[in-house]
Amino acid sequence: MTAAPRTYWLEHAWLGAHVEPGVAVDVKDGRITAVRPDTPAPPPGAEVLRGLTLPGLANAHSHAFHRALRSTVQVGSGTFWTWRETMYATAERLTPDTYHALARAVYAEMALAGVTAVGEFHYVHHAPGGTPYTDPNAMGEALVEAAADAGIRITLLDTAYLSSGFGQPPTTHQLRFSDGDADAWAARCSLLAEREHARIGAAIHSVRAVPADQLATVARWAGERRAPLHVHLSEQTAENDACREVHGCTPAQLLALHGVLGPRTTGVHNTHLTAEDISLIGGSGTGTCMCPTTERDLADGIGPAGALQNEGSPLSLGSDSHAVVDLLEEARAMELNERLRSRTRGHWTAAALLRAASADGHAALGWDGIGTIEAGARADLVTLALDSVRTAGPPPRLGAETAVFAATAADVRHTVVAGRHVVRDGAHTLVPDVPGALARAVEALRA
């Protein structure tokens, strides 16, 4: 995955606090060895990145197969729970081969959007009916291979999904997801190996999908490996109500009781929280991954991102169901949602929103040293055009504001991962026809 030594010349570079014109970046063994501002022209032999270059973006929450649902779930009306039935029908048709093809195309779409690392919240483990494949991790391995083929990093968040609700066995559709119990889940995912482009983490699907007396097993597995641990948390009020009825507490309180919360843990959505929940999450250093385009698509609600961050919860962003794949839109939506809720403007600076989309997202996925353009950092870069119909006009010094509040994924011109050009001039270098690959992969699931 790592490219040969080279120099990139950045026409404009966002260096965390400001935009600097004319920056040369030297790269060796996949890391930045030097950053040289005040370089008004490209050095001889340098690769030129015209526009605004940012650190690579992190998509901290993905369900790759949900990409096949795009548009088809927009017919008619309903709720999260009716949407879920359509999702189950798609999951039922996945095989290791069709999942690889779909995920490769989805991850290539992410690279075109400037994403250099994805957190794949993976729970389709077994064949229909729950029978393990000959390789019990065939589905997870398909995702890891797909990320390599698309040229991006992956943290495979292998997910424990053991029940359909509090005290309820898995439904027919959910048999594919379940290992039976948390010990069997741990034994299976212990067979997964990390590699240069891939980290292995853990996930608790939700408090309704993992019995309370097995939550600690998953947390312990992640803790022993110092691996990231993610969990869908309070996405729906129905889950909160059921948890109170069975356990007499909220989902966040239940996770705290069983040792799940902490600095390596990220709660995904964190939508319907009490003031005590917010204090528990923030006080424990547990992160929050907001997925605004999915949360609004599923009519979930607006989570208290600002209050969570104020209490100490680091924020990251994800595209979740891939209604769109655009981390800039996720960053923009988090701020605009807060404006709608509060009827005031300016809750996060553009720089803070870009950090959520980059450095803090990579950290939530267990990747160190990504999210800054500085010596020693991993050489993951994304360049946005400053001359499109969306971005033309503002001065380059307002590049961060332009990126967050005007640009879209369509403005990505270059994506560099570990020093290697994965997207060049808007074209993927490893997957030549990404739209065609997506169309063929989705059609294969409908056949």
Side-chain angles (χ1 to χ4, degrees):
M1 188 173 184
T2 300
R6 64 188 62 194
T7 296
Y8 287 96
W9 181 76
L10 319 183
E11 184 181 27
H12 301 282
W14 181 66
L15 300 182
H18 68 286
V19 174
E20 185 80 22
V23 177
V25 174
D26 300 325
V27 175
K28 183 179 180 181
D29 296 330
R31 289 187 180 267
I32 297 171
T33 57
V35 176
R36 294 180 280 134
D38 301 317
T39 307
E47 294 203 41
V48 175
L49 304 182
R50 293 205 178 275
L52 173 69
T53 298
L54 313 167
L57 305 179
N59 189 349
H61 189 68
S62 162
H63 302 291
F65 78 91
H66 289 191
R67 175 61 177 80
L69 304 176
R70 188 179 292 181
S71 297
T72 63
V73 291
Q74 302 301 344
V75 178
S77 60
T79 66
F80 167 85
W81 306 102
T82 54
W83 169 91
R84 194 174 67 157
E85 294 305 311
T86 305
M87 179 270 287
Y88 284 157
T90 300
E92 193 72 8
R93 294 192 291 272
L94 292 169
T95 69
D97 288 341
T98 60
Y99 206 3
H100 172 267
L102 178 60
R104 172 179 175 268
V106 174
Y107 297 156
E109 181 182 3
M110 291 183 193
L112 289 172
V115 171
T116 64
V118 60
E120 184 60 40
F121 199 102
H122 165 57
Y123 54 79
V124 187
H125 302 304
H126 308 299
T131 302
Y133 290 102
T134 303
D135 174 358
N137 286 303
M139 297 293 269
E141 291 290 349
L143 293 165
V144 171
E145 182 181 347
D149 291 345
I152 69 171
R153 307 177 193 274
I154 185 171
T155 297
L156 187 72
L157 297 161
D158 195 288
T159 304
Y161 195 139
L162 307 173
S163 59
S164 62
F166 296 96
Q168 301 298 316
T171 65
T172 299
H173 287 308
Q174 294 166 343
L175 292 172
R176 295 200 74 173
F177 312 158
S178 178
D179 291 293
D181 60 33
D183 288 330
W185 166 84
R188 178 186 52 73
C189 59
S190 293
L191 301 174
L192 289 161
E194 295 192 341
R195 51 219 83 171
E196 184 182 6
H197 79 290
R199 297 280 183 268
I200 306 300
I204 292 165
H205 179 273
S206 55
V207 294
R208 71 177 185 274
V210 176
D213 61 0
Q214 298 182 57
L215 292 169
T217 300
V218 183
R220 184 166 54 250
W221 187 95
E224 288 171 351
R225 291 159 179 78
R226 302 188 65 78
L229 172 62
H230 288 215
V231 54
H232 290 135
L233 180 55
S234 288
E235 181 178 5
Q236 292 290 323
T237 55
E239 178 179 88
N240 287 2
D241 294 343
C243 188
R244 286 191 180 96
E245 183 177 344
V246 174
H247 295 291
C249 63
T250 67
Q253 292 163 356
L254 186 66
L255 294 176
L257 285 171
H258 291 277
V260 175
L261 302 184
R264 285 193 304 277
T265 299
T266 297
V268 180
H269 304 304
N270 290 359
T271 307
H272 302 285
L273 302 176
T274 67
E276 183 180 348
D277 292 339
I278 293 170
S279 295
L280 275 174
I281 292 166
S284 63
T286 300
T288 295
C289 180
M290 302 300 293
C291 305
T293 64
T294 291
E295 289 150 5
R296 69 192 183 199
D297 181 56
L298 297 181
D300 286 345
I302 300 172
L308 283 160
Q309 187 173 56
N310 289 340
E311 288 290 327
S313 180
L315 299 180
S316 56
L317 297 165
S319 63
D320 193 357
S321 69
H322 314 310
V324 296
V325 173
D326 189 337
L327 266 291
L328 301 173
E329 171 62 19
E330 304 294 346
R332 174 163 56 245
M334 186 165 70
E335 166 66 23
L336 298 186
N337 281 352
E338 197 70 16
R339 292 182 185 185
L340 285 174
R341 179 216 299 280
S342 65
R343 291 181 288 175
T344 60
R345 304 174 77 238
H347 300 273
W348 291 277
T349 64
L353 293 167
L354 287 176
R355 282 194 295 274
S358 56
D360 290 344
H362 291 292
L365 298 178
W367 290 97
D368 67 300
I370 310 180
T372 59
I373 301 176
E374 62 184 3
R378 299 176 192 261
D380 285 18
L381 307 170
V382 55
T383 303
L384 305 177
L386 292 179
D387 57 359
S388 77
V389 293
R390 290 165 295 278
T391 60
R397 63 181 175 79
L398 295 179
E401 288 76 12
T402 300
V404 172
F405 292 105
T408 74
D411 295 307
V412 172
R413 292 294 174 265
H414 305 281
T415 303
V416 174
V417 183
R420 181 175 70 163
H421 232 128
V422 174
V423 173
R424 188 190 302 273
D425 296 320
H428 203 289
T429 62
L430 302 175
V431 184
D433 179 14
V434 178
L438 285 163
R440 289 188 295 273
V442 172
E443 181 58 33
L445 291 180
R446 294 178 182 155

